[in-house]
């Protein structure tokens, strides 16, 4: 009888642990979430910088999903729909003074494609290096 109770207790505790929401590890990236107005505002502010880095003008620049990471402020990894069946993934640092800094730009050739690197380069922006990764299906 006691062994059945212990087994039942283990099963219940395991089920509770599995159903509990996961919290990101300290310094790790959160799960992908749907973009909200604050994330789209960050994108609107940084659109000119992203276009300058990539040498392209985008008629569409809408955040789809994002991840966050706490690091002396908040880092954002944002998937942005730029139209023409193309995505751009940007990484932005939002510091404690509420300043947004573009840290990295990745271009994904198709919304449905996997991310396969084809060219990796570093471009200078405002006296600081910014990683630019161009990827293609």
């Amino acid at each position: 009888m006691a062994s059945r109770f212990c087994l039942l207790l283990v099963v219940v505790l395991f089920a509770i642990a599995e159903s509990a929401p996961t919290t990101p590890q300290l310094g790790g990236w959160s799960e992908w979430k749907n973009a909200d107005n604050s994330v789209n505002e960050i994108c609107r502010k940084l659109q000119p910088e992203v276009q300058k880095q990539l040498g392209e003008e985008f008629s569409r620049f809408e955040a789809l999903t994002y991840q966050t990471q706490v690091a002396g402020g908040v880092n954002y990894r944002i998937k942005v729909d730029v139209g023409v069946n193309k995505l751009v993934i940007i990484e932005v640092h939002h510091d404690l003074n509420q300043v947004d800094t573009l840290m990295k730009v990745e271009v994904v050739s198709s919304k449905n494609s996997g991310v396969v690197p084809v060219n990796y380069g570093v471009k200078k922006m405002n006296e600081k290096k910014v990683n630019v990764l161009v990827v293609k299906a």
Side-chain angles (χ1 to χ4, degrees):
M1 183 72 159
S3 63
R4 283 187 178 176
F5 177 74
C6 288
L7 180 60
L8 179 61
L9 183 60
V10 168
V11 169
V12 168
L13 290 174
F14 182 74
I16 291 170
E18 286 295 310
S19 66
T22 57
T23 55
Q25 272 189 325
L26 186 60
W29 288 98
S30 71
E31 296 293 321
W32 287 99
K33 298 172 256 190
N34 289 328
D36 56 21
N37 288 338
S38 64
V39 173
N40 268 303
E41 182 60 31
I42 292 170
C43 287
R44 278 190 286 280
K45 287 192 286 186
L46 293 174
Q47 181 177 357
E49 283 185 61
V50 172
Q51 291 178 154
K52 182 178 177 184
Q53 287 297 312
L54 297 176
E56 292 184 62
E57 294 269 333
F58 301 117
S59 59
R60 181 180 179 91
F61 204 81
E62 180 182 338
L64 301 173
T65 58
Y66 72 101
Q67 293 178 296
T68 57
Q69 177 186 52
V70 177
V74 179
N75 290 331
Y76 288 88
R77 183 181 289 156
I78 308 169
K79 288 183 185 177
V80 182
D81 179 0
V82 295
V84 199
N85 203 30
K86 191 188 260 185
L87 289 177
V88 173
I89 301 174
I90 61 174
E91 287 187 16
V92 178
H93 179 70
H94 183 80
D95 70 20
L96 299 174
N97 294 320
Q98 310 301 307
V99 175
D100 295 322
T101 305
L102 181 64
M103 303 302 289
K104 184 176 181 180
V105 178
E106 297 176 48
V107 178
V108 180
S109 64
S110 169
K111 292 180 190 176
N112 301 321
S113 71
V115 177
V116 182
V118 290
N119 185 20
Y120 184 81
V122 176
K123 292 188 177 183
K124 222 172 180 182
M125 181 181 73
N126 299 334
E127 302 294 303
K128 135 182 203 179
K129 290 184 178 179
V130 174
N131 295 324
V132 177
L133 176 62
V134 178
V135 293
K136 179 177 165 183

